[in-house]
Amino acid sequence: MARSSSGIVAGLTAAALAVIGFLGYQASASAPAHPPKAAAQAPAPAPADPGTAKADPGKPVAVPAGSGTGVRVVYSVGAKRVWLVGAADQEPKSFAVMPSTVHPAPGSYTVGSRSGTVTGSDGVPIEHVVRFATAEGIAIGFSARVDNTVPAPDTTKKTGGIRMTRADGDAMWAFATISSKVVVVP
């Protein structure tokens, strides 16, 4: 009888550990939160932005003329920059981004879908995906690589991820919810 009970106990213990391991994996795979600051890697530098290299870093970069009015995300393909334009009494947040190989046409769009964490079309883990357009059959959206790097895209592939640092991705995620307005300018 002792042998039979110890086999059952061992089986139940193994099953419980497997369930705990699976639930832990599920929680870590779906949680877009960053590791604590002490354990976090140094952030990668933001992509170079030739349009603001000569600008005073203490002064905000002006929102492009002709980008509309009201609360919106403004994305300038040519300047490789995004503005999160909130209420009239708030200073817009602006940051450099790295466009992908497929670009949306200039115009007004709305955020149609979001994903906390997924694998990007380039095969790397990404988070805070905010999709707003389709071009050439490719979904276009903002995202941050989980490894916090912002490399130039592989020009041999058609991808639509507009990449930014994780900190900027956090700001985009909080600002651009479903149905938010996104204005693309040249």
Side-chain angles (χ1 to χ4, degrees), residues 47-60:
D49 184 358
T52 61
K54 298 173 191 144
D56 180 351
K59 292 185 180 178

Side-chain angles (χ1 to χ4, degrees), residues 35-124:
K37 294 259 186 227
Q41 294 178 321
D49 184 358
T52 61
K54 298 173 191 144
D56 180 351
K59 292 185 180 178
V61 179
V63 177
S67 67
T69 60
V71 177
R72 66 201 183 281
V73 175
V74 178
Y75 168 46
S76 173
V77 178
K80 298 180 182 178
R81 182 161 286 280
V82 165
W83 291 260
L84 305 179
V85 183
D89 61 342
Q90 294 176 330
E91 188 67 42
K93 177 174 176 51
S94 179
F95 47 88
V97 296
M98 180 58 68
S100 198
T101 58
V102 177
H103 309 292
S108 185
Y109 301 87
T110 57
V111 173
S113 70
R114 296 171 15 125
S115 297
T117 56
V118 296
T119 299
S121 56
D122 56 358
V124 299

Side-chain angles (χ1 to χ4, degrees), residues 14 17 49 87 125 167 172 184:
L17 289 173
D49 184 358
M172 176 67 75
V184 177

